[in-house]
Amino acid sequence: MSHEALDWAVQQRLGAKQKLLLIKLAFHATTKTHCCSLSRRQLSVLCGMSIDSVKRALPELVAMNLISVESRTDDGMNLPNAYTLKVGELA
């Protein structure tokens, strides 16, 4: 867990769903890279929202320049995306 990322996420002015999602990403982010890898299903369970709500909120966080998303695969099999929080960057 990155305390810096968590503090940063809490300070963002967002709607409830986007904020909760950002806080959960920050909670699971590494201290060094501010990156985590969780499936949308895991995020929906952690946040108590539907997968569709997660699918809508993630692009909103990208559009606000708060996170970047890297799609990942291994030998043609989909893996959970990697999410990097843009802690300390100007939005």
Side-chain angles (χ1 to χ4, degrees):
M1 173 175 65
S2 169
H3 292 285
E4 179 185 15
L6 194 54
D7 185 50
W8 169 83
V10 168
Q11 293 177 33
Q12 301 306 308
R13 299 182 100 166
L14 300 167
K17 289 181 180 179
Q18 294 85 358
K19 188 161 199 158
L20 179 58
L21 185 56
L22 187 62
I23 288 170
K24 287 297 183 181
L25 290 170
F27 182 81
H28 291 276
T30 64
T31 301
K32 189 173 184 178
T33 64
H34 303 300
C35 186
C36 66
S37 183
L38 297 163
S39 70
R40 287 181 289 236
R41 179 180 302 274
Q42 288 171 308
L43 287 169
S44 73
V45 169
L46 289 169
C47 294
M49 62 178 76
S50 69
I51 293 174
D52 285 340
S53 291
V54 170
K55 286 180 182 179
R56 284 189 297 272
L58 286 169
E60 293 169 357
L61 294 174
V62 171
M64 290 182 261
N65 201 34
L66 296 173
I67 65 169
S68 62
V69 181
E70 177 188 344
S71 298
R72 301 180 318 136
T73 60
D74 184 22
D75 289 330
M77 191 167 108
N78 289 335
L79 299 173
N81 291 336
Y83 302 98
T84 302
L85 283 70
K86 298 192 175 186
V87 178
E89 294 183 29
L90 296 176

